[in-house]
Amino acid sequence: MSAATRTVAFFCFLLATAAAAAAEPLPVVALLSLGSSLLDPFSSLRDWSSYASANLSGEPRPWCFWTAVTCDASGDITTLDLSGKNLSGSIAVEIRLLASSLTHLNLSGNSFGGPLPPFLFELTRLRTLDISHNDFNSTFPPGVSKLRSLFLLDAYSNSFVGPVPHGITKLRQLEHLNLGGSFFEGGIPLGLGSLPRLRYLHLAGNLLTGRLPHQLGSLTLLQQMEIGYNSYQGGVPPEFGRLTNLRYLDISSANVSGELPSEVGNLTQLESFFLFKNRISGRIPASLSDLRALNVLDLSDNLLCGQIPSGLSTLLNLTLLSLMNNQLSGEIPAGIGTLPNLQVLLLWNNSLNGELPRELGVHGRLEKLDVSSNSLTGPIPPGLCSGNRLDRLILFSNFFDSVIPPSLANCTSLWRIRIEGNRLVGPIPTGFGSLPNLTYMDLSSNRLSGGIPEDLGHAPRLEYLNVSGNPLLTPLPKTIWRASSLQILVASYCGLSGEIPDFDSGCRNLYKIELEGNDLNGSIPADIGHCQKLLSLKLDRNRLTGSIPPELARLPSIADIDLSWNSLAGTIPPEFDNCSTLESFNVSFNRLVGAVPAASAVLENLHPSAFAGNVGLCGELVGKPCEVKGTAVPQQTARGSAGAAIVWIAAAAVAAGLVVLILGTRWTQQREEAIDEELGPGQWRMTAFQRLNFTAEDVAACVSSSDQIIGMGSTGIVHRAKMPSGEIIAMEARVADFGVAKLIRTTNQSMSVIAGSCGYIAPEYAYTLQVDEKSDIYSFGVVLMEMVSGRRSVEAEYGEGNSIVDWVRGKTVRAEGGGAWEVLDQSAGAGCKDVREEMMMVLRIALLCTSRNPKDRPSMRDVLSMLREAMPNRKEAAIAEQQQQQGLGGSASRLQQ
């Protein structure tokens, strides 16, 4: 259609609409049509009413007082600001009725989806168009070149695909262009370099490729350029040195290679320079010392080599310097320590040697210091916390050989200290226990002596303490368990002596205690039952005596116990054979006696080496019959009435704590099957994954009846089981694959047959017959996908032989159909932007859990941490965004070590 034809058509449209609207003015028609096409969940536009009712107010142009509307003196609408109202639905074509006057249109921060309506480009008087923070998808429609008066176009954070629209290069008045955070692909249009008034360019976070156009160097008015988080080829063009008005430059995480051109030293107005996570090689140009306005310099995660230029010491405005994870060598310039405004210094994982600058921190502004994984020597500078602002001190894996400066124990801002793997000597200074913010403290693998200070037992927020590998040679302080927030204590191979202090009412948050390889004596305190969150206890290789306290087996979450190589006596408490959470239990090389409990299957699943070196133990698990009144009597396995079967009882906490208890039976095929039917019931066993209020016999009675079958899967049959107490323990058929790695192992750790519910089974299971915890992680990931998509693990839509994993990967990784957003369940709140972002985080976790390679799948503890990160926490997100705008975002994500 020609331009003339389009004009005539539009004119006809105006006439027809005007005739239909009768007495109502065009602005009212436009607004009422727009309002009726929108979904407005918060009724933000409730004052948009018909002209007749609105005119009762006596105002000649009442629409000028409606929400989101601004008029000029003649009553024509000039601004329509619908931002941040959680609107969705469609944009009515009648908005074109405002074409003669509308200059500012803001649709940002809503939930609009689908293709961007091309008729918006009929609003030819627009000077600003903001559609950011929505979910517009498909390709960017043609016609944007008609907005010749436009000086701001913001489409940040949408789902556009295809090339960057070429029509933008025709917008000669454009000053602000933001197309970041979508899925644009292809190269950066060369014509962008011909926009003479452009001051702001943001193309980051897309799928752009190709070389960085040297034509961008012609944008001499440009003040901010963010083009990172793409995948370019080649290096930084020397022509970028002509951008002399540039204040902010971010080309991070963009696959840029080659050497950094010396011409970047011409950017004398530059305040923030981010180039991290690329493949930049060669030396750091000495010309960077000419960037006297520079506040932030981040060249981390590259292939830079050589020495740190001494000229960087002249950048007096520098607040953040990050050169970590490169191949730099030589000494740190002494002048770095005298930079008056330095707040963050990150140099970890290089090959730096020499000493830290002695003056580092003396100006009182230092907040974060990370020089770990280098070859630095000498003392830790005493003035690091002169301004009481230091919150993270990371010095591990160096050769520091001084004492720990006592001044650090008075640094109330200190939150995280990692100085492990050095040659530090002397005592641990007293005072760390009084620091109000200290949560993480690792002093391991040094040469510290003198014991653990008593005050650490009173630390208010300390969660992690590791002093292992130091010659402390003293008893544990009696106050150690009183640290109310302590979760992990590691004090292995420290020469600790004396007895383990009583737990009393402390240790309420502890989940890991590692005290192996010491000289501890006495008994294990019976009040360890106070440690209700304990998961792991390692007391091996000490001189402990007495009996194993049965309270240890009653802990609700205990999973890993190692008491080997001690002098423990007595019997193994029978409670351990009912400890359904137990995964590892080692009591070898003690002085234990009596029968190894084997009434249930918990201890039976352990390797016999877990009991080795105890000559007094007997029973089937150690291959030594127990004697009763002089007669050797082998232990018997309980027999039931379910035939030759294994009864599984698995409990899995899924999502918001839903506990699903699944009973399944798997019938083994044996050559003597017919004989077994004649002789009666065969052997069976039950494994419980939580403390139960019923017996194995109660379960056997339930699974013997076929009329109680409620589901069948590859792993077996699910029965409805009502216990004598009235409790019904099977919360309909559910996923039966969780915990399969712990349930159905043979002695060689492999499965004898393929078992698993279709759609939940890990891919490696089918061809290796090997199962481990990573198989369970895969199944958990499938359930996460079901939750965020509202779909089942197997549906006909996925295609023959495919599961939800294949379908989701097709939508997200290969961008089929509508892309990642189409995966999300709209009925679960995906239409709301904040909820959608959280669902996307869960979806990313699910994709990690279902990685094809088991080694790429996270541990369950990591999954839990990531799920916690996915919880709503928008205030912190806003703070993080603010920090990003202040130029601190480039390295913030790597400060947590």
Side-chain angles (χ1 to χ4, degrees):
M1 183 182 295
S2 66
T5 304
R6 283 197 302 267
T7 302
V8 172
F10 181 44
F11 182 71
C12 293
F13 165 78
L14 293 179
L15 291 177
T17 304
E24 291 193 343
L26 290 182
V28 174
V29 175
L31 294 179
L32 293 183
S33 298
L34 179 60
S36 64
S37 68
L38 298 176
L39 298 179
D40 182 8
F42 302 133
S43 299
S44 301
L45 307 178
R46 56 184 172 273
D47 58 349
W48 289 22
S49 57
S50 69
Y51 175 66
S53 59
N55 204 31
L56 294 177
S57 64
E59 293 289 343
R61 291 179 288 272
W63 59 86
C64 293
F65 300 93
W66 293 355
T67 300
V69 176
T70 303
C71 297
D72 60 15
S74 62
D76 292 327
I77 297 177
T78 58
T79 299
L80 188 58
D81 186 356
L82 297 174
S83 61
K85 303 186 186 305
N86 201 30
L87 302 174
S88 59
S90 60
I91 300 173
V93 69
E94 286 82 0
I95 196 173
R96 296 192 298 181
L97 295 174
L98 305 177
S100 62
S101 61
L102 194 65
T103 56
H104 303 282
L105 177 60
N106 192 339
L107 304 177
S108 66
N110 286 295
S111 300
F112 292 115
L116 182 69
F119 53 76
L120 291 180
F121 302 146
E122 302 293 339
L123 303 170
T124 55
R125 298 196 63 184
L126 281 180
R127 301 191 66 205
T128 66
L129 175 59
D130 191 344
I131 57 172
S132 63
H133 297 282
N134 281 288
D135 192 25
F136 290 116
N137 53 40
S138 188
T139 58
F140 202 89
V144 69
S145 60
K146 291 184 286 189
L147 303 180
R148 297 303 177 99
S149 300
L150 203 66
F151 71 80
L152 181 147
L153 175 58
D154 194 339
Y156 178 75
S157 188
N158 279 280
S159 299
F160 291 112
V161 297
V164 175
H166 181 74
I168 290 177
T169 64
K170 306 296 184 182
L171 305 180
R172 309 289 291 177
Q173 304 299 314
L174 203 60
E175 298 180 9
H176 182 112
L177 175 60
N178 191 340
L179 301 179
S182 273
F183 301 96
F184 288 113
E185 55 192 9
I188 297 176
L190 306 184
L192 289 183
S194 63
L195 298 177
R197 305 184 63 175
L198 199 63
R199 287 174 166 80
Y200 179 97
L201 176 61
H202 191 308
L203 302 174
N206 282 289
L207 303 174
L208 299 175
T209 56
R211 292 184 173 272
L212 292 174
H214 67 83
Q215 289 86 348
L216 296 183
S218 301
L219 300 173
T220 55
L221 297 183
L222 199 64
Q223 296 179 0
Q224 182 161 334
M225 181 163 67
E226 299 181 52
I227 54 177
Y229 298 93
N230 286 290
S231 187
Y232 305 114
Q233 289 82 45
V236 177
E239 290 81 358
F240 280 14
R242 302 207 303 259
L243 303 174
T244 54
N245 283 301
L246 204 61
R247 298 178 182 274
Y248 190 102
L249 176 60
D250 188 344
I251 323 178
S252 49
S253 192
N255 197 43
V256 177
S257 59
E259 296 188 4
L260 190 60
S262 60
E263 286 81 356
V264 295
N266 298 329
L267 307 178
T268 55
Q269 301 297 315
L270 197 63
E271 298 174 354
S272 299
F273 187 14
F274 296 102
L275 198 60
F276 62 83
K277 204 171 184 182
N278 282 291
R279 296 186 294 119
I280 302 294
S281 57
R283 296 175 177 271
I284 299 175
S287 62
L288 292 188
S289 60
D290 296 328
L291 305 181
R292 300 302 173 87
L294 204 60
N295 293 322
V296 176
L297 176 61
D298 192 340
L299 306 179
S300 58
D301 294 303
N302 278 289
L303 304 173
L304 294 167
C305 60
Q307 296 185 333
I308 300 174
S310 59
L312 297 185
S313 302
T314 65
L315 304 180
L316 302 183
N317 293 312
L318 206 61
T319 60
L320 182 148
L321 176 61
S322 179
L323 305 175
M324 62 187 184
N325 202 23
N326 278 286
Q327 300 171 6
L328 300 171
S329 58
E331 299 186 358
I332 302 172
I336 297 291
T338 62
L339 289 172
N341 296 297
L342 190 64
Q343 300 173 17
V344 179
L345 179 61
L346 308 175
L347 303 175
W348 71 272
N349 199 26
N350 281 286
S351 299
L352 301 171
N353 54 40
E355 298 185 356
L356 272 177
R358 296 292 180 98
E359 304 298 315
L360 191 61
V362 295
H363 290 287
R365 294 182 177 271
L366 193 63
E367 298 177 1
K368 300 171 182 63
L369 174 63
D370 188 346
V371 295
S372 57
S373 299
N374 282 287
S375 298
L376 299 171
T377 58
I380 298 174
L384 293 178
C385 194
S386 295
N388 212 30
R389 295 184 177 184
L390 187 68
D391 57 42
R392 266 165 270 195
L393 178 61
I394 316 294
L395 309 178
F396 65 83
S397 298
N398 279 287
F399 300 102
F400 293 113
D401 51 13
S402 67
V403 298
I404 299 175
S407 57
L408 289 179
N410 298 317
C411 184
T412 57
S413 59
L414 198 59
W415 171 68
R416 192 176 184 89
I417 177 170
R418 293 191 61 185
I419 54 177
E420 71 269 23
N422 282 284
R423 298 174 178 175
L424 298 171
V425 297
I428 301 172
T430 300
F432 283 111
S434 300
L435 300 184
N437 297 303
L438 187 63
T439 61
Y440 191 102
M441 188 177 190
D442 194 339
L443 313 178
S444 62
S445 301
N446 280 288
R447 301 173 182 176
L448 301 171
S449 57
I452 301 174
E454 291 274 345
D455 69 329
L456 285 177
H458 303 287
R461 297 185 61 185
L462 187 63
E463 298 176 356
Y464 179 95
L465 176 61
N466 190 343
V467 295
S468 61
N470 285 289
L472 300 179
L473 304 178
T474 57
L476 277 169
K478 295 186 179 299
T479 60
I480 191 62
W481 311 124
R482 298 177 188 171
S484 59
S485 300
L486 193 62
Q487 298 177 8
I488 297 177
L489 173 66
V490 183
S492 308
Y493 299 96
C494 295
L496 295 175
S497 58
E499 298 185 356
I500 299 174
D502 289 339
F503 292 94
D504 297 325
S505 58
C507 77
R508 63 172 180 255
N509 285 309
L510 268 170
Y511 66 80
K512 180 181 288 188
I513 301 175
E514 296 185 2
L515 298 175
E516 71 267 27
N518 285 295
D519 199 30
L520 297 171
N521 54 47
S523 60
I524 301 172
D527 59 358
I528 196 170
H530 290 301
C531 307
Q532 288 289 294
K533 294 183 180 180
L534 196 63
L535 298 175
S536 176
L537 177 66
K538 295 183 182 296
L539 300 177
D540 51 296
R541 300 180 187 278
N542 280 284
R543 294 194 298 117
L544 298 173
T545 56
S547 60
I548 300 175
E551 291 81 1
L552 187 55
R554 299 187 187 118
L555 293 174
S557 303
I558 192 68
D560 184 10
I561 300 175
D562 194 341
L563 307 178
S564 61
W565 295 95
N566 279 287
S567 298
L568 297 170
T571 61
I572 298 176
E575 288 85 350
F576 281 101
D577 203 35
N578 292 319
C579 185
S580 59
T581 60
L582 200 61
E583 297 179 359
S584 175
F585 181 66
N586 190 348
V587 292
S588 61
F589 298 97
N590 279 283
R591 299 177 180 175
L592 301 172
V593 297
V596 178
S600 299
V602 176
L603 298 185
E604 188 180 66
N605 287 331
L606 300 177
H607 195 274
S609 62
F611 309 102
N614 293 278
V615 296
L617 288 179
C618 63
E620 182 180 346
L621 298 184
V622 294
K624 179 181 178 181
C626 294
E627 294 186 0
V628 179
K629 294 183 180 181
T631 303
V633 180
Q635 289 187 312
Q636 299 294 319
T637 304
R639 304 180 68 86
S641 59
I646 298 175
V647 179
W648 302 341
I649 298 181
V654 178
L658 177 65
V659 178
V660 179
L661 188 62
I662 304 155
L663 276 82
T665 61
R666 182 165 63 96
W667 301 92
T668 59
Q669 294 182 344
Q670 300 180 1
R671 195 161 50 112
E672 304 82 32
E673 186 174 10
I675 300 177
D676 288 342
E677 292 179 357
E678 294 177 2
L679 296 179
Q683 293 185 343
W684 66 279
R685 66 175 180 266
M686 178 176 74
T687 301
F689 278 74
Q690 64 182 29
R691 199 168 303 284
L692 304 175
N693 298 318
F694 50 84
T695 66
E697 287 73 19
D698 296 331
V699 175
C702 294
V703 301
S704 62
S705 175
S706 61
D707 61 353
Q708 295 298 312
I709 294 177
I710 58 175
M712 303 181 69
S714 301
T715 55
I717 303 171
V718 183
H719 294 256
R720 182 179 186 274
K722 185 174 183 180
M723 297 296 101
S725 64
E727 179 184 10
I728 298 178
I729 62 172
M731 309 166 267
E732 59 186 51
R734 293 289 184 182
V735 183
D737 293 299
F738 290 112
V740 71
K742 302 179 184 71
L743 287 171
I744 45 180
R745 288 176 173 167
T746 59
T747 55
N748 63 353
Q749 303 291 303
S750 67
M751 295 290 299
S752 57
V753 295
I754 296 178
S757 300
C758 183
Y760 300 95
I761 189 171
E764 70 274 8
Y765 188 15
Y767 57 84
T768 66
L769 299 184
Q770 296 290 325
V771 293
D772 56 19
E773 285 73 14
K774 296 295 186 179
S775 306
D776 299 339
I777 298 296
Y778 183 94
S779 298
F780 187 77
V782 174
V783 173
L784 291 182
M785 287 184 178
E786 290 181 308
M787 290 173 59
V788 298
S789 67
R791 291 173 171 265
R792 295 184 179 274
S793 61
V794 176
E795 293 185 3
E797 180 184 342
Y798 307 152
E800 182 68 25
N802 290 333
S803 69
I804 191 172
V805 177
D806 305 289
W807 180 76
V808 169
R809 290 194 177 279
K811 296 294 184 183
T812 57
V813 179
R814 297 186 292 275
E816 296 174 356
W821 304 125
E822 186 180 309
V823 171
L824 304 183
D825 184 3
Q826 297 298 315
S827 65
C832 175
K833 186 173 187 299
D834 290 326
V835 175
R836 182 170 65 247
E837 291 176 351
E838 290 152 15
M839 292 175 74
M840 281 300 298
M841 292 181 69
V842 175
L843 181 60
R844 294 186 187 104
I845 297 170
L847 287 169
L848 286 174
C849 292
T850 55
S851 297
R852 292 291 181 187
N853 189 342
K855 294 181 180 179
D856 294 335
R857 298 171 198 158
S859 67
M860 202 62 209
R861 187 173 298 279
D862 291 336
V863 171
L864 179 60
S865 298
M866 290 186 287
L867 285 173
R868 285 173 175 164
E869 290 295 323
M871 294 173 65
N873 203 354
R874 296 166 191 131
K875 182 177 180 181
E876 291 186 4
I879 294 174
E881 183 174 353
Q882 182 180 11
Q883 290 177 339
Q884 175 74 25
Q885 294 172 351
Q886 294 173 348
L888 297 178
S891 300
S893 62
R894 295 185 299 282
L895 294 177
Q896 299 269 2
Q897 289 208 26

